[in-house]
Amino acid sequence: MAVISKHVVTTRPVELPSEPPENMETLRGDCARMARHWVAPAAATAAPVSPALIHGVTVPTASARLIDGMSEYGD
């Protein structure tokens, strides 16, 4: 078992200089600058898949419990 000294527990953590908060204008500016680097893919349309063809999907128990524990949309 590790022993933590009292000095470590009682001292205040070092505060790092904070960055200015992001806002929608900052996000839009970042996106506008990156947009020229993105290449739009050729228009591809996905054909609908019959539900009869979707089979063999398994979900791990831990993932199912995690999703089950989440609130419903709009709660």
Side-chain angles (χ1 to χ4, degrees), residues 7-49:
H7 174 72
V8 172
V9 175
T10 58
T11 57
R12 292 182 55 154
V14 176
E15 292 186 24
L16 300 174
S18 63
E19 295 181 10
E22 291 189 9
N23 57 32
M24 187 57 77
E25 287 302 314
T26 304
L27 179 60
R28 290 181 69 219
D30 291 344
C31 291
R33 283 189 296 282
M34 290 187 291
R36 64 177 167 252
H37 301 289
W38 297 334
V39 178
T45 57
V49 176

